[in-house]
Amino acid sequence: MSSTTISPDADLITLVNVFTVTPGRQTELADALDRATRDVFLAVPGFVSANLHVSLDGRRVVNYAQWAGEEQYEEALRRTDVRAHIGQVAAIAEAYDPTLVRVRSVHHGRQA
């Protein structure tokens, strides 16, 4: 089982997708993303992990998803089941901004 590794040394790419939702739909969107991760993405080659974050103001959901590489991510986008998921989530969200990134650096605070 893979886990999230946030390190500039990890040979991974990360999808950071910030979704905006109308007030009251944040849970619906997060539930849809959770379902898609369990039902679709866990079986997609190259998928490593997904971490969902919900904003305290109830207006955003952030998906931090790691992939083995850009090619695997692009291949996933061509799959029918993945396209169906994207359509379902797009119908809930007001807007979304998917961005592929690499970890550049990691900093940790001093422990008391």
Side-chain angles (χ1 to χ4, degrees):
M1 173 184 269
S2 297
S3 63
T4 302
T5 301
I6 302 175
S7 168
D9 298 326
D11 189 24
L12 301 170
I13 64 157
T14 303
L15 168 69
V16 177
N17 199 349
V18 179
F19 297 88
T20 304
V21 295
T22 57
R25 296 197 80 184
Q26 183 186 58
T27 299
E28 179 184 4
L29 178 61
D31 287 348
L33 290 166
D34 275 332
R35 252 189 328 277
T37 300
R38 282 191 314 271
D39 298 346
V40 177
F41 286 102
L42 290 179
V44 174
F47 174 80
V48 176
S49 67
N51 300 271
L52 296 177
H53 307 261
V54 292
S55 66
L56 300 181
D57 66 4
R59 301 261 315 141
R60 282 172 290 285
V61 176
V62 179
N63 183 10
Y64 183 98
Q66 293 184 315
W67 289 83
E70 191 171 355
E71 183 177 315
Q72 290 88 344
Y73 173 75
E74 295 295 334
E75 287 175 15
L77 292 179
R78 292 190 283 275
R79 290 173 54 120
T80 305
D81 53 351
V82 170
R83 301 291 312 153
H85 152 68
I86 291 170
Q88 292 167 352
V89 170
I92 300 168
E94 288 181 325
Y96 48 95
D97 184 20
T99 305
L100 291 178
V101 301
R102 289 198 187 278
V103 176
R104 178 176 168 181
S105 61
V106 176
H107 305 275
H108 298 280
R110 292 188 182 105
Q111 299 297 320

